[in-house]
Amino acid sequence: MADFETVLSTSARLLRLVSLLAVRPAWTCGELAERMEVTERTVRRDVARLRELGYTVDSDPGPWGGYRLRPGTRTPPLILDDEEALAVAVGLREAALSGALGGDQAALSALLKLRQVLPRRVAERLGDMDDAFVQTPRAAGEPQVAAGTLLELAAACRRGERARLAYRDWEGRASVRDVDPYRLVHTGRRWYFVARDVERGEWRTFRADRVERVQPTGRAVEFTEPLPDPALLVSRASATGPYAVLATVRLSVPMEQALRSIPATVGLHRADGPDATVVEIGGSTTEGLARYLFSLATPLRVLAPDSVREALLRRTRELLAANEEAST
């Protein structure tokens, strides 16, 4: 992975350098180093590499000299050989699936662009590697998303084109619906596809691992303001449903501390004064939800429903009785 990161970082830096040279008549070496957050030595080495790749970069000597693209010169595309292109594609793929490079959405977008221009021989090699790769689950039983599905969803968001989505919900029910793609959201555990459901006229979140097919319709989409916060939509959907049991609890800690105990992807939070937080949280069973709340080891009070409060009290009494017996 280190080699992939090095190639990816160098290619991204060269693209950044070309874009800077293209938007201003001249740059000093120091200015470029500051903008790119690298050393002047790195700038000089990158300029030499651009010249090897066919970019016409002129330079002026002296302390106030600098670099510029020769007037009238057409900027050629960045050139990668087969091995470099394959290394970048694999690195981007792993970054998108694992978060190794930090920017999942950017990695997906870059991988999508790269795969569209890869030579056939390189694309076939990448496909062979995709078939051979096996990614270990992040958690027991956690479903994984195929890289191809993520690319299709990312492409749908980039195109701004209505799509026909074949989807299977949490109960296994299959449906086909027209959606207006908007964003992909990664929570650290799962990928979610945020889109507007055309028939229902409302924003929805779809788990990417349950998407079976994405088919473009050729119809352009124009969103009107205000647009929703995709991360907030996913957070709400993850925290409140679909669950058999929903509870409201009050934690006797500030919002920041409450979010460390119950993440935003697990519950919906609202401040109740400066020193308390009310959280809505869901679970599959009353006992399971009570067990989760008990494990938080945080002062809290169950506001609703009574069944969860009673289950939590019962668990507390059992623990107290067990310890009283042990002390006699």
Side-chain angles (χ1 to χ4, degrees):
M1 186 66 185
D3 291 340
F4 296 151
E5 290 184 27
T6 301
V7 173
L8 182 61
S9 175
T10 302
S11 298
R13 197 174 64 245
L14 291 177
L15 284 172
R16 172 67 171 155
L17 179 56
V18 170
S19 68
L20 290 173
L21 292 171
V23 298
R24 215 169 87 174
W27 295 82
T28 67
C29 188
E31 289 173 331
L32 289 170
E34 182 179 358
R35 275 297 192 96
M36 298 172 62
E37 299 181 345
V38 297
T39 65
E40 293 188 20
R41 182 180 178 183
T42 298
V43 171
R44 289 191 289 271
R45 187 170 60 243
D46 286 349
V47 168
R49 176 62 174 152
L50 288 180
R51 287 168 174 163
E52 292 174 0
L53 295 172
Y55 291 82
T56 307
V57 183
D58 290 333
S59 59
D60 296 319
W64 303 107
Y67 298 103
R68 64 180 182 275
L69 288 176
R70 184 174 300 172
T73 299
R74 182 173 180 178
T75 305
L78 185 67
I79 301 170
L80 297 173
D81 63 30
D82 287 3
E83 294 303 318
E84 289 173 332
L86 186 62
V88 171
V90 173
L92 287 170
R93 178 193 182 280
E94 291 305 294
L97 291 177
S98 68
L101 302 182
D104 298 320
Q105 190 76 41
L108 272 178
S109 178
L111 180 57
L112 176 65
K113 294 176 183 177
L114 182 62
R115 294 190 81 156
Q116 290 175 338
V117 298
L118 284 177
R120 180 184 294 275
R121 58 185 179 279
V122 180
E124 289 176 351
R125 289 179 64 188
L126 185 60
D128 292 339
M129 295 181 76
D130 281 342
D131 292 339
F133 279 157
V134 176
Q135 187 172 2
T136 56
R138 294 191 182 97
E142 188 71 23
Q144 298 297 300
V145 186
T149 300
L150 283 179
L151 285 174
E152 288 180 4
L153 293 174
C157 293
R158 277 192 71 236
R159 283 194 301 262
E161 178 183 345
R162 183 164 294 173
R164 187 149 294 144
L165 193 72
Y167 187 73
R168 195 169 294 276
D169 67 15
W170 66 284
E171 292 183 323
R173 295 174 300 193
S175 64
V176 177
R177 61 190 81 186
D178 285 352
V179 298
D180 294 337
Y182 183 44
R183 291 290 187 273
L184 275 173
V185 177
H186 189 217
T187 65
R189 294 175 58 240
R190 291 174 180 157
W191 281 96
Y192 289 86
F193 176 52
V194 177
R196 185 175 60 190
D197 188 306
V198 175
E199 183 177 352
R200 299 182 182 182
E202 60 186 26
W203 290 98
R204 301 294 301 274
T205 62
F206 304 91
R207 270 181 45 178
D209 57 281
R210 294 176 180 159
V211 173
E212 298 181 340
R213 188 178 68 259
V214 185
Q215 179 182 352
T217 65
R219 179 171 178 178
V221 172
E222 291 186 8
F223 294 120
T224 57
E225 301 287 348
L227 294 172
D229 181 337
L232 183 59
L233 281 178
V234 170
S235 223
R236 286 175 175 169
S238 301
T240 60
Y243 291 111
V245 183
L246 292 175
T248 305
V249 300
R250 184 180 186 273
L251 278 64
S252 301
V253 295
M255 173 78 81
E256 182 179 353
Q257 188 175 340
L259 284 166
R260 289 197 294 267
S261 298
I262 304 176
T265 53
V266 176
L268 289 179
H269 302 64
R270 60 180 173 85
D272 187 18
D275 300 317
T277 308
V278 174
V279 184
E280 294 180 36
I281 187 171
S284 55
T285 66
T286 297
E287 290 295 332
L289 192 50
R291 184 166 56 250
Y292 173 78
L293 294 174
F294 190 85
S295 70
L296 296 177
T298 300
L300 61 85
R301 178 161 55 95
V302 178
L303 303 180
D306 293 340
S307 58
V308 174
R309 185 186 308 111
E310 291 166 359
L312 185 60
L313 286 172
R314 186 165 55 252
R315 180 167 288 273
T316 304
R317 293 190 189 103
E318 290 172 354
L319 181 63
L320 180 61
N323 282 275
E324 287 177 342
E325 292 174 3
S327 63
T328 57

